[in-house]
Each structure stands twice: as structure tokens, then as C-alpha cells.
Amino acid sequence: MSGRLITLEGGEGAGKSTLVSGLCRYLGEQGIEPLLTREPGGTALGEGVRELVLKPELRGMCAESELLLMFASRAQLVREVIQPALAQGRWVLCDRFTDASYAYQGGGRGQPVERIAELERWAACDVQPDITLLLDLPVHTGRARAAGRGPSDRIETEADAFFERVRGMYRRRAEQAPERFRLLDASAMPEAVLAQAIEALGPLLNEVHP
Ligand code: Z5A
């Protein structure tokens, strides 16, 4: 059986990392040991890209460079990690994937959607998640959560308006692909967010344990 790709998306401080830990625990109890990865990152090359794109000193990075760097990380991750894992029947939990490029570089930076779609086709081999959990919450709530974590990275220093555009693009994508997206209320308590995610994964889990 081929594996499953589950992606987590959302704005800053939405609680993706927190949810990944909870989901891992839950899936383990169901006899599934998921492979955890993240974007940008997940490979040696990708982690190098992550350091570059988040570096505050590189504030002059143009939108085109940013978009291409995100896809450089993704091209490597897809070929080196995701496709081999799926071929072995593994479940892959990925903290952000291509929807983040539509939201941040498309919505946030105004890069044309067709350009991102073209990169998705050839650089990311058109790999599509089975389910995308979109952790949705007001921008100010997420930013307040993230503020307690120390110095901001290059993208976190953007204005609220940027993050409102990111959120808007995520929500539009969720409306356009309701069969893939599950919108979670990320302003709820962590246990309640986990419960929503577990419910959203119910149909996939039923395929494993009918
Ligand atoms: N990026 C991009 O532009 N284009 C792309 O294609 C890709 C990425 C793939 C790095 O992503 C940046 O790269 C990101 C988008 C961009 N830039 N931004 N902004 P990242 O995922 O590593 O970084 P992040 O978005 O900044 O994630 P995050 O802020 O670390 O958020 P999180 O993982 O979703 O949240 P968390 O760490 O689980 O929780 C944050 C805090 O809130 C923490 O103190 C928790 O204890 C607390 N928390 C979590 N859940 C709750 C609930 N339910 N209630 C209350 N408090 C909570």
C-alpha cells in the first residue's frame, strides 16, 4: 500500500509544531509511526535553505529569490524523503508544504499563482497531500503567541497586512479544494485542536483499520 502525505499549514504561531507532537503520539497509539519533516528544511540542503531564508540580515532578498529558494528546498525534500517514504507505505507528516508558497509568496508577496503552479509541477513533481490540516486563527492571536519566543526571523518582521494576505490566500485555497483541506479552529486549546485533527484524519485511519 502506498503511504499517505499529511501536511500542516497556518500562519505564524498557529500551533503546527504543538499539533505535530500530539498527532505523532496519537498515531503511534494506532500503530502508525509517521515520518516527520518540515519545510523549508527536512534535508541537509533544505536546512541550509531554511537558515538562508529566515536570516534577518538578508532583508533585501527579492520575492523571486525567496520563491525559488522555497522550491529548491521542496525539490530536494520530495525526491530525497517524501517520495521514497510514500513508496514504502509510510505516513509522512510535513510541517508546511506547497500551500505555504501559494500563501506566503503568492498571497503575501504577490507572486503570480501560475508561476507557483508551474514550479509545483516540475520542481515538486506535482506531489499533492492526501490531507492538509489548515490551522486558522486571527493574525494578532498567532503573532502574540509567537512574540514570546525571542528575536524575529526575516519573515516574522513583516507587517500585519502581509500576514492578513497570507491568511486570506490559505482560506481561499481551502475553499477551492474542500476534498483535501480540513480547516481547524486553531484559537482553541491545544487538546481541542488535536481532537479536531484526529477527527479530520478519521477517514484515512479507517483505511488502515477498517
Ligand atoms: N515559508 C514560506 O514563506 N514559504 C514556503 O513555501 C514555506 C515556508 C514552506 C518558517 O516556517 C517560515 O517559512 C514561515 C513561513 C515561511 N514564516 N513565517 N512566519 P515555520 O513553520 O518554521 O515557522 P512559523 O510559521 O513561524 O511556525 P511557528 O511560528 O513556529 O508556529 P507553529 O509551529 O505553528 O506554532 P507552535 O510553535 O506550535 O506554537 C507557537 C506558540 O504558541 C508556542 O508558545 C505554543 O506553546 C503556543 N501554542 C500552540 N498551540 C496553542 C494553542 N492551541 N493555544 C495557545 N497557545 C498555543
Side-chain angles (χ1 to χ4, degrees), residues 13 15-18 50 74 96 101 104-105 145 149 188:
K16 292 174 285 85
S17 313
T18 306
R50 181 183 185 89
R74 184 165 300 129
R96 296 195 186 280
S101 292
Y104 283 80
Q105 283 66 56
R145 284 183 191 170
R149 282 187 314 198

Side-chain angles (χ1 to χ4, degrees), residues 142-203:
R143 300 205 85 181
R145 284 183 191 170
R149 282 187 314 198
S152 299
D153 64 41
R154 188 182 59 86
I155 297 177
E156 285 169 348
T157 55
E158 290 296 333
D160 283 354
F162 172 87
F163 291 101
E164 292 291 357
R165 294 196 298 277
V166 169
R167 185 185 187 201
M169 180 61 95
Y170 267 136
R171 290 173 64 103
R172 276 199 296 289
R173 287 188 62 75
E175 277 166 23
Q176 287 161 4
E179 68 294 341
R180 171 165 74 84
F181 275 92
R182 299 291 176 275
L183 194 71
L184 310 187
D185 173 11
S187 61
M189 296 299 284
E191 316 78 67
V193 178
L194 176 60
Q196 294 175 60
I198 290 171
E199 192 183 341
L201 295 183

Side-chain angles (χ1 to χ4, degrees), residues 14 18 21 31 34 78 121 138:
T18 306
S21 318
V78 162
R121 276 191 291 277

Side-chain angles (χ1 to χ4, degrees), residues 58-79:
L58 295 185
R59 66 181 66 81
M61 185 182 295
C62 67
E64 288 77 6
S65 296
E66 188 180 87
L67 175 62
L68 290 169
L69 284 168
M70 296 299 175
F71 270 97
S73 171
R74 184 165 300 129
Q76 194 69 28
L77 184 71
V78 162
R79 289 164 180 81

Side-chain angles (χ1 to χ4, degrees), residues 4-162:
R4 297 285 180 265
L5 175 60
I6 298 156
T7 59
L8 286 87
E9 299 281 0
E12 199 192 351
K16 292 174 285 85
S17 313
T18 306
L19 179 59
V20 163
S21 318
L23 268 183
C24 249
R25 234 185 2 260
Y26 175 78
L27 290 174
E29 288 160 12
Q30 309 305 306
I32 296 168
E33 297 300 335
L35 187 150
L36 300 186
T37 189
R38 67 172 181 179
E39 282 206 336
T43 63
L45 184 144
E47 292 298 324
V49 168
R50 181 183 185 89
E51 214 180 302
L52 265 182
V53 293
L54 298 183
K55 214 177 197 163
E57 298 78 31
L58 295 185
R59 66 181 66 81
M61 185 182 295
C62 67
E64 288 77 6
S65 296
E66 188 180 87
L67 175 62
L68 290 169
L69 284 168
M70 296 299 175
F71 270 97
S73 171
R74 184 165 300 129
Q76 194 69 28
L77 184 71
V78 162
R79 289 164 180 81
E80 194 176 315
V81 176
I82 295 182
Q83 286 183 322
L86 293 177
Q88 288 167 14
R90 299 280 308 267
W91 282 44
V92 179
L93 275 189
C94 193
D95 188 339
R96 296 195 186 280
F97 195 56
T98 311
D99 293 300
S101 292
Y102 283 99
Y104 283 80
Q105 283 66 56
R109 304 272 189 233
Q111 288 292 294
V113 166
E114 313 76 57
R115 187 173 294 170
I116 301 172
E118 181 59 22
L119 284 167
E120 180 176 25
R121 276 191 291 277
W122 72 266
C125 305
D126 213 12
V127 168
Q128 300 293 326
D130 291 283
I131 285 207
T132 297
L133 303 174
L134 174 56
L135 282 75
D136 182 60
L137 86 172
V139 167
H140 63 87
T141 311
R143 300 205 85 181
R145 284 183 191 170
R149 282 187 314 198
S152 299
D153 64 41
R154 188 182 59 86
I155 297 177
E156 285 169 348
T157 55
E158 290 296 333
D160 283 354
F162 172 87

